[in-house]
Amino acid sequence: MTWTRQFALGLAGTLAATALLTAPATAQDAPSGAQAGPSAAAHLTDLVDPFIGTQNEGNTYPGAAVPFGMVQLSPDTGHNTGYDYAQDHIRGFSLVHLSGVGCGLGGDLPVLPVTGDVTTTDYARYAAGFGHDDESASPGYYRVGLDSGIEAELTATARTGVQRYTFPATAKADVLLNAGQSLHAKVATKVEILDDHTVRTTLTGRGFCQDTKAYTLHTITHFDRPFTAYGTWDGSTVTDGARSGSDGAYVRFDTTKDRTVEATTALSYVDARGAAGNLRAEGGRSFDAVRRAAGRAWEDRLDDVRVRGGADGLRRTFYSSLYRSFLAPNIGSDADGRYTGWDQRIHRAQGFTYYQNWSLWDTYRTQSQLLSLLAPREARDMAVSVVHIAEESGWLPKWGYGTVETNIMTGDPVTPFLTNAYQQGLLGGYEERAYRALRKNADGVPPADSPAVGREANREYLANGFAPYVKGRPHAKPGDSDYDHGASATLEYALSDAMLARMAEDLGHRADAARYAARAQNYRKVFDPSTGFFRARDASGAFTGPADPAQSEGFHEGTSWQYQWLVPQDIPGMVGLIGGQAAANARLDSFFAYDRLLADPAKTAREVWVNGPYAYYNADKYNPQNEPDLIAPYTYLSTGQPWKTTDVVHAALTLFTDAPTGMTGNDDLGTMSAWMVLSSIGVFPVQPGYDTWGLSTPVFDRVDLTLDRRYHPHGRLTITAPGTSGTDRYIQAARVDGAPYGRTYLTTAELRAHRSLSFTVGPRPSDWGTSADAAPPALR
């Protein structure tokens, strides 16, 4: 029977008989507690499906990349962010993609194999038909059979994309390199045929959600055999034999005898010399050799997490989420260490790898913590890169793409991102440099000539304790504005102040620490006692906008119902504002539609919580497909009812499946995937920017984490919950290294000090974690 049916039969009308799903609704059946593990697959990469999230606006991509690689070589079908599983024509295989973004970005240099004369330069017109029955993908590899009779295969290294095209027998086998078209606006392009094997391009583009400062990237493509002919085009005019053009080029091969053409494209955000250097450093290998190396890189990465138990579909969903969690941020420095900083000057990374692409409003809540746990070396370099951005450009980033700031989203997400790195011990030698940048960001506003918007409403926030909501205020810079979302911006600022206060205290900046700790209480300034909810205030200080907390005015992609739990620094204080623990639990139960959840978790998740890919607005229920309330299920850990955290989390996990529609909302550079991974293993960062990990029931009988010994002396942490299932999901007891453990959280130091975390589970809630001292502490 299906898990949904099994749940329904076990209900029996009482809490003791309720059962939440421990596998997605579409997963294959498995006996409760079955000892199935990844050994059922030859490799862990066999459990990864890159097509998950490519339909219904998950906005993932199925193409080839290595962990955190600069290149993501993937097909574009016409969707604004690249690939849509529902579409049936491929316009090209382009170099740059971001997993799960909501606006068009990347898609640079779409390349497509065709046959015959080049009669159009518009990739929407020459797009090739294809079908999913002749398409496949795995980590580091993608292939598709095109209706033209051409087979295309893709793989990648960190800084190159490698293509193999198998043509029909023809004297006119062409490869089109369309420099002038992408997923966003092109400002300028240049194409050069360097010799009978090599094409070079320079691409300048701009735009992510709104107009932004332009960035430039450089490519060089080397083919494994000489062209028989070539040409370039400007606009729609194709000139055969031309060696330079503004918008694109074609190169031709005779495949009447040898039908296969391989090409390697190297990318650099620095200059043409950087692209050529990356080609020398990482090119020169056959397609098959690169594919094998990419597969090994992914197997090594995934092998750090070994799970036992759970249905086949759950394991596929889990490892696919783990895979997506390692796709970004992306390497930004060339093989020689050079990179283009946000000051648009060339720098050289010494002692670290420079990273770029920062969806911080999303990733500071889940993905940055997962990387600090499973990929601390890379996470350190990422944090160091952000410090260098501040030192080179003058200000910390908000939402950075490549070499530029986009100013998308609001609040102050970079502070909890960096304080998390500090709390995880990843900023050794950079502590004071990071603190100086954070202090400048927290206490100031970037000047008009800076591309950064920073804490845009900081003057008013520092003076009055809140960011005002100023309806219709013109944007001073491209991107989003904190003034458009004053209530939520205030909450985000206060959260960041709390995290910075802890870092300041640790570093001995006690006056700063006291000042930031006081500001962390500013969430109270936007609490309206007349409604019992947060509410926007105008510049005069008056509460403004709808009194209905289910309305979104003054909040970014959410409502007061969803933002009321974004006070992880002081849940007890928030509970006090609401009216006490009983009132808080009643409100949480209403927010999660808890009674309906117990009766039918999957239906509640899909029909009550989620009503569409971008249904962010005007709701009074939990929205597990968007960021503002990702930590909300863990609030029950602080209100004396920790079993309800497991109930809600396991219901939300039903939204993740092993189908193209199996991503809940945009993945946002691994944010939602990381939520799935952390929630599945039962350890979740409940105070973003600090070192507190909340506990809930894992969905697997056993999870073995292999950890970096430089940060985790034992090198391994094992989490067990024997018999965990849809019916037996409630924690009866917990042990750490065999000793009884009654709190609902662990600190990072405790995670590192111990080898095992074990849960005893059963069919009914227990009193585990309900004592007064069991809850995560407030950061006051």
Side-chain angles (χ1 to χ4, degrees), residues 463-474:
N464 305 313
F466 64 90
Y469 168 52
V470 186
K471 191 173 184 178
R473 183 181 187 274

Side-chain angles (χ1 to χ4, degrees), residues 234-290:
D234 301 278
S236 59
T237 302
V238 179
T239 304
D240 297 332
R243 285 188 170 272
S244 63
S246 61
D247 293 309
Y250 76 87
V251 294
R252 178 166 294 165
F253 303 89
D254 185 338
T255 59
T256 54
K257 294 182 179 179
D258 183 356
R259 294 175 55 200
T260 300
V261 174
E262 293 188 11
T264 300
T265 301
L267 174 63
S268 171
Y269 286 85
V270 179
D271 53 24
R273 179 165 68 91
N278 290 341
L279 183 65
R280 287 193 300 271
E282 300 182 13
R285 291 180 290 168
S286 70
F287 182 94
D288 289 329
V290 174

Side-chain angles (χ1 to χ4, degrees), residues 6 35-36 112 148 161 193 229 275 296 320 327 336 414 419 422 462 464 479 528 549 566 578 623 665 673 688 715:
Q6 182 179 353
Q35 286 296 314
L112 191 72
S148 60
I193 308 291
R296 286 194 300 269
S320 297
L327 289 172
D336 62 4
V414 71
T419 61
Y422 168 75
L462 297 180
N464 305 313
D528 183 356
L566 193 63
I578 291 174
N623 186 352
S673 293

Side-chain angles (χ1 to χ4, degrees), residues 631-705:
I631 63 173
Y634 295 90
T635 307
Y636 282 121
L637 301 182
S638 297
T639 63
Q641 296 183 334
W643 68 88
K644 291 183 178 178
T645 289
T646 291
D647 288 341
V648 174
V649 166
H650 285 208
L653 287 171
T654 68
L655 295 168
F656 295 85
T657 75
D658 59 346
T661 58
M663 171 61 59
T664 177
N666 299 158
D667 196 26
D668 289 323
L669 271 68
T671 298
M672 307 310 295
S673 293
W675 187 95
M676 191 275 173
V677 169
L678 290 162
S679 295
S680 294
I681 67 176
V683 178
F684 189 88
V686 294
Q687 293 177 319
Y690 201 55
D691 69 343
T692 311
W693 302 83
L695 304 179
S696 64
T697 306
V699 299
F700 299 107
D701 287 345
R702 177 174 176 140
V703 181
D704 289 296
L705 305 176

